[in-house]
Amino acid sequence: MLAAMPKPPRLLASAVSRWGDDPWARGSWSLIGRHGTPADRIALGAPAGDRLRIAGEATHPTRAGMTHGAYEQGVGAAVWAAGLGHRRVLVAGAGMAGLAAARELAARGVRAQVWEARDRIGGRTAGIDLDGFTFDLGANWLQQYDDNVLARIAEELGLTVVDTDFTDPLVLGSGRDGVPDGLERALRTRLAQAPPQASVADVLAAWLADPAPFTAGAIRRFVDAEIVMDSGAPLTWLSARHGFEPGVGEGDRWIVGGYRLLVEHLAAGLQVRRARPVRSVRVDADGVTVNDAARFDAVIVTVPLPVLAAGGIAFEPALPAAHRAALGRLGAGRVEKVVLRFDARFWPEHPAGYYRVHGPAPTDVSEWLDATAADGVPTLVGLFAGAWLDGLWTGSDAEVARRAAAIFTEAAAAG
Ligand SMILES: Cc1cc2nc3c(=O)[nH]c(=O)nc-3n(C[C@H](O)[C@H](O)[C@H](O)COP(=O)(O)OP(=O)(O)OC[C@H]3O[C@@H](n4cnc5c(N)ncnc54)[C@H](O)[C@@H]3O)c2cc1C
């Protein structure tokens, strides 16, 4: 009798992010380029006069690129505007920073209006509904959980959160050898001791020329896992000294049901106009004119850094020189997500519920969250970074999802 062939896994449903192409994001999160330092984040978030302030994740000196950093910056900008006695304030953008700013303004008795370019709120937190269950295509985790203002709000709301240990993923397919002792310390030392304007690629090139006692392969894989995955940026651009910022791996918990649960709570009662992009901000002695039409006392701008850098909002007068310089030295990388729901769970169990798959070329890396336990359907949430995005993220969402599924399936089959 013939042995029954194992059935190949069947993809039931999928969703794909497009942060790199999204005109209202133009990337995933802000980063410090080789010519920049954390002082650029502070410069960008400093008031531009008495009536204009940029907030948002990119302005946080120590919690950039994260939702709670964005939230804190929104609150800070609102306290500033209210403290100056402004009574009518426009907030550009309804992401974490914008919603936080508007809530804080309202709490202080200031009339706040939020103008949001998209027809949805939440910004780079974005839920996708698959068969009645919401998965996050943007932010997933509450990072630095013990010291995270949004985690406290999630607790007040009674949301269910699940721990993820990023430090112990199961590596599938090639590149499975563990991280040699001392490699992480050696990387951190080399980055910290790099010349001020060196890029990560500069440091890596020097190291790979003389990798002992490590192997070149182990160094590359570690850099891909730690830096490429956490930034999605070209290593030739990313600052060696400042490109590896805190956040991931400091206690991370994801929200079952998605960030939407937090966003909806934060937006309750606020005046948010959707599909209303801010195109121009003109500041004069008496107030601010937005889009040549509406007048406010002050404006808090929370749109993503690359949108500002690309001239998405015309400022008159131009932003101060320090702000413009900061915009030139900061940037954003590209990390994309895919959610895959299968008819059966074909991958090995791992206590961390977290997997890594390296791609064929340097910088090709993906990480995978097993979300099956949350609603009982075998589901993976994959994050992709590196040069292979150019080839993988083309064509329809279904094509991208099929390619991503094939990568994971082959790696899982290889063990
Ligand atoms: C794939 C991915 C995974 C991530 N994972 C995590 C994670 O696990 N944990 C974490 O803490 N963070 C994570 N982040 C980062 C996190 O999502 C962001 O740091 C945070 O949401 C940024 O909030 P923000 O308010 O600064 O900006 P945004 O959320 O981008 O909000 C800005 C808003 O401005 C709007 N806008 C843009 N242009 C205009 C305009 N001209 N006029 C009006 N509105 C405009 C946008 O539509 C958007 O709604 C992730 C991001 C991505 C992309």
Side-chain angles (χ1 to χ4, degrees):
M1 218 169 76
L2 283 174
M5 293 282 287
K7 266 201 321 180
R10 201 159 64 86
L11 194 55
L12 300 179
S14 61
V16 168
S17 76
R18 305 273 183 171
W19 297 108
D21 301 330
D22 183 331
W24 310 117
R26 290 175 167 265
S28 296
W29 52 83
S30 68
L31 300 161
I32 301 176
R34 61 185 305 170
H35 301 295
T37 71
D40 290 309
R41 297 196 180 281
I42 296 170
L44 188 65
D50 287 347
R51 298 187 182 276
L52 172 63
R53 188 155 188 175
I54 296 171
E57 56 86 7
T59 62
H60 204 297
T62 55
R63 293 173 170 193
M66 295 182 283
T67 51
H68 57 302
Y71 185 95
E72 287 178 9
Q73 294 306 92
V75 170
V79 171
W80 165 83
L84 287 171
H86 296 310
R87 309 309 306 156
R88 278 193 82 222
V89 175
L90 178 76
V91 177
M96 278 297 166
L99 295 176
R103 272 169 73 88
E104 187 65 30
L105 287 166
R108 289 168 183 263
V110 178
R111 274 162 62 201
Q113 224 180 79
V114 186
W115 287 13
E116 166 53 51
R118 295 185 177 102
D119 60 5
R120 64 165 183 86
I121 60 172
R124 282 169 281 167
T125 69
I128 181 82
D129 200 77
L130 290 182
D131 308 325
F133 199 85
T134 303
F135 293 95
D136 278 314
L137 280 181
N140 224 137
W141 286 272
L142 291 161
Q143 296 174 319
Q144 303 177 321
Y145 189 86
D146 291 341
D147 189 18
N148 180 325
V149 59
L150 292 173
R152 301 296 81 77
I153 297 175
E155 283 165 1
E156 276 163 31
L157 294 175
L159 304 187
T160 306
V161 294
V162 181
D163 277 302
T164 305
D165 182 359
F166 290 122
T167 60
D168 184 29
L170 178 62
V171 181
L172 298 170
S174 61
R176 263 177 300 149
D177 343 329
V179 178
D181 282 347
L183 181 51
E184 174 163 9
R185 205 172 342 106
L187 171 64
R188 286 188 182 273
T189 305
R190 281 172 182 267
L191 294 175
Q193 292 175 351
Q197 301 206 340
S199 68
V200 174
D202 295 333
V203 168
L204 189 58
W207 199 1
L208 292 177
D210 184 14
F214 309 108
T215 64
I219 293 171
R220 272 194 184 285
R221 276 192 300 279
F222 191 66
V223 167
D224 289 350
E226 294 295 317
I227 300 184
V228 177
M229 192 73 251
D230 280 357
S231 69
L235 300 184
T236 48
W237 173 84
L238 192 65
S239 164
R241 282 196 179 184
H242 309 294
F244 195 17
E245 292 174 275
V248 177
E250 296 177 25
D252 309 83
R253 300 190 195 179
W254 62 279
I255 308 169
V256 177
Y259 256 94
R260 183 187 283 171
L261 300 170
L262 268 180
V263 166
E264 280 165 6
H265 165 76
L266 296 176
L270 298 180
Q271 208 185 90
V272 183
R273 306 257 163 93
R274 299 171 195 225
R276 187 174 290 207
V278 172
R279 303 280 185 201
S280 65
V281 171
R282 199 169 66 242
V283 183
D284 58 49
D286 304 322
V288 186
T289 308
V290 179
N291 290 3
D292 294 324
R295 288 285 285 177
F296 297 90
D297 295 339
V299 176
I300 295 172
V301 173
T302 72
V303 313
L305 175 132
V307 175
L308 284 177
I313 299 179
F315 293 98
E316 192 186 320
L319 288 173
H323 289 67
R324 284 183 279 132
L327 282 176
R329 294 192 283 247
L330 303 171
R334 183 176 175 210
V335 174
E336 299 288 3
K337 277 175 107 171
V338 59
V339 182
L340 305 173
R341 270 155 96 74
F342 293 96
D343 60 342
R345 200 169 177 289
F346 58 89
W347 54 93
E349 293 266 2
H350 183 59
Y354 207 64
Y355 303 80
R356 182 180 301 135
V357 177
H358 290 275
T363 81
D364 295 350
V365 62
S366 64
E367 291 191 347
W368 300 81
L369 170 71
D370 183 351
T372 307
D375 73 332
V377 181
T379 305
L380 291 166
V381 179
L383 291 95
F384 279 76
W388 64 354
L389 278 177
D390 292 339
L392 289 175
W393 250 248
T394 56
S396 68
D397 285 2
E399 285 167 326
V400 174
R402 267 198 303 276
R403 277 184 217 118
I407 286 169
F408 187 87
T409 309
E410 278 165 30

